[in-house]
Amino acid sequence: MSIADFKIQWFPGHMTKAKRMMESQVKLVDVVVEMLDARIPRSSTNPMLLEVLGGKPKVIALNKTDMADAAQTDLWIDKLKKSGLTVCKVDCATGKGVKQLINAVQLAAKPVIDKWLKKGVRNRSVRVMIVGIPNVGKSTLINRLVGRTKVVAADKPGVTRGQQWVTIAKGLELLDTPGVLWPKFEDPEIGFCLAVTGAIKEDVFDREMAVELLVERLMGRYGAELEAKYGIQLTPEDTDRTVLAKIATARGCLKAGGVLDLDKVVQIVLRDFRSGKLGRFTLDEA
Ligand code: G4P
């Protein structure tokens, strides 16, 4: 099977609406935090954001680092920094790196504050918002920063709930509603990465095909993790299909008559991958 066959059913109308909404939200803030998924830093970024920002400072929060390959995360951070971007490693599930992220936002806001001071504007708070694709962890970060457990992001672009400014540090106010970005799906590789990490809903892609491609990918660089997790042995002759069959056998995924239950094994592998139980993987190599 080829990655070129992997298609996402996607309606471009969403993109236009998301862009308009993002433009109006960005106007309200001084700094934008773009949250990326450390497992797929390339696929979880949105090329549209740069157009919308209009030169406003941006800080990248590389989230879910607990589920990503640590060596790849370091390579990504190096790469992003070298291209002149400000980037912080975070794990919003535990709160690791969140303080450093606030410091980075304050630093990124310094030129703005200096400009205000020159104009004689004092005591004005810096306003910040968090943007990112669905399921990247925006609400989890907002809840951590705000110290409550209620913010839920609408997972559709252009949809917001009641917005409020919340002070999260001295002189720093956060928009408590995240901006939802929609990624570009035209590239099947990006569509694949978004599908298996859970950024897009399962009704718009072929789950079996996504898992076959995932297994094929993991067999290459992370074969040892597959062997350890499912108690199987890989051989050079294995294909995604034979590996799925081995996992199905090891997990007792059988239908009546002893036929392998492919649906079930696909579900298991996807769930294990998404929850991090399978191991720490980065699909977009730095
Ligand atoms: P969103 O607003 O960008 O759409 O994402 P949200 O915060 O809702 O997070 C999506 C899922 O990712 C949540 O799991 C959340 O707990 C998880 N998550 C966020 N940050 C991290 C992280 O740094 N590491 C890990 N491992 N997970 C993270 P969920 O299963 O959808 O919900 P729940 O189990 O938290 O209820």
Side-chain angles (χ1 to χ4, degrees):
M1 186 195 321
S2 150
I3 186 83
D5 300 324
F6 192 76
K7 301 254 171 9
I8 303 283
Q9 291 154 30
W10 159 248
F11 308 102
H14 288 163
M15 193 70 161
T16 319
K17 198 170 175 200
K19 189 172 178 192
R20 247 186 279 128
M21 177 60 103
M22 191 61 59
E23 272 163 351
S24 61
Q25 283 179 313
V26 164
K27 277 194 193 126
L28 306 173
V29 301
D30 307 300
V31 181
V32 168
V33 171
E34 183 188 17
M35 183 170 258
L36 301 181
D37 184 328
R39 297 168 299 172
I40 50 165
R42 186 179 301 117
S43 305
S44 57
T45 191
N46 187 308
M48 176 256 273
L49 184 62
L50 200 63
E51 287 170 44
V52 173
L53 277 183
K56 282 202 177 159
K58 176 179 89 167
V59 174
I60 294 175
L62 207 53
N63 191 37
K64 305 201 181 185
T65 46
D66 58 313
M67 294 208 273
D69 179 330
Q72 280 290 320
T73 299
D74 288 343
L75 288 173
W76 267 109
I77 287 178
D78 250 23
K79 188 181 167 126
L80 293 167
K81 281 187 175 163
K82 275 190 188 131
S83 63
L85 295 162
T86 305
V87 51
C88 293
K89 187 159 80 169
V90 288
D91 163 4
C92 292
T94 62
K96 224 156 121 187
V98 171
K99 258 198 194 125
Q100 288 87 334
L101 177 66
I102 293 182
N103 294 342
V105 169
Q106 283 172 325
L107 207 63
K110 189 142 187 322
V112 181
I113 297 171
D114 289 346
K115 216 156 80 189
W116 290 344
L117 286 175
K118 269 194 200 139
K119 287 189 197 160
V121 179
R122 282 167 202 284
N123 299 325
R124 176 167 163 185
S125 288
V126 167
R127 293 190 148 183
V128 58
M129 74 181 285
I130 293 156
V131 306
I133 62 165
N135 221 28
V136 73
K138 301 177 297 298
S139 313
T140 311
L141 175 60
I142 292 175
N143 291 332
R144 283 216 168 262
L145 291 169
V146 171
R148 62 169 194 243
T149 54
K150 251 185 57 224
V151 176
V152 179
D155 67 354
K156 290 196 178 70
V159 177
T160 50
R161 292 159 199 250
Q163 300 186 346
Q164 264 185 51
W165 295 101
V166 184
T167 301
I168 53 165
K170 194 166 181 290
L172 197 59
E173 285 181 10
L174 175 74
L175 188 64
D176 79 349
T177 309
V180 182
L181 292 169
W182 217 273
K184 272 189 131 36
F185 289 153
E186 289 86 349
D187 179 346
E189 171 66 29
I190 293 180
F192 159 74
C193 287
L194 296 166
V196 290
T197 52
I200 43 188
K201 292 215 165 72
E202 297 200 358
D203 50 2
V204 295
F205 65 90
D206 181 332
R207 198 164 63 162
E208 191 178 315
M209 191 191 251
V211 170
E212 283 172 0
L213 287 165
L214 176 66
V215 167
E216 193 179 276
R217 223 36 91 79
L218 298 182
M219 282 161 60
R221 281 197 21 232
Y222 301 108
E225 277 86 346
L226 280 176
E227 291 185 326
K229 169 74 186 166
Y230 297 115
I232 56 169
Q233 288 266 287
L234 299 183
T235 65
E237 291 75 38
D238 267 326
T239 63
D240 48 285
R241 286 256 157 186
T242 60
V243 172
L244 277 174
K246 284 180 181 179
I247 299 172
T249 309
R251 283 298 160 103
C253 300
L254 299 172
K255 289 198 271 204
V259 182
L260 291 182
D261 190 342
L262 197 62
D263 263 3
K264 194 163 175 200
V265 77
V266 159
Q267 204 180 323
I268 289 176
V269 172
L270 196 57
R271 194 192 52 211
D272 288 346
F273 176 78
R274 286 183 177 170
S275 65
K277 279 190 191 142
L278 198 48
R280 297 176 60 166
F281 308 110
T282 301
L283 295 176
D284 282 335
E285 281 183 55

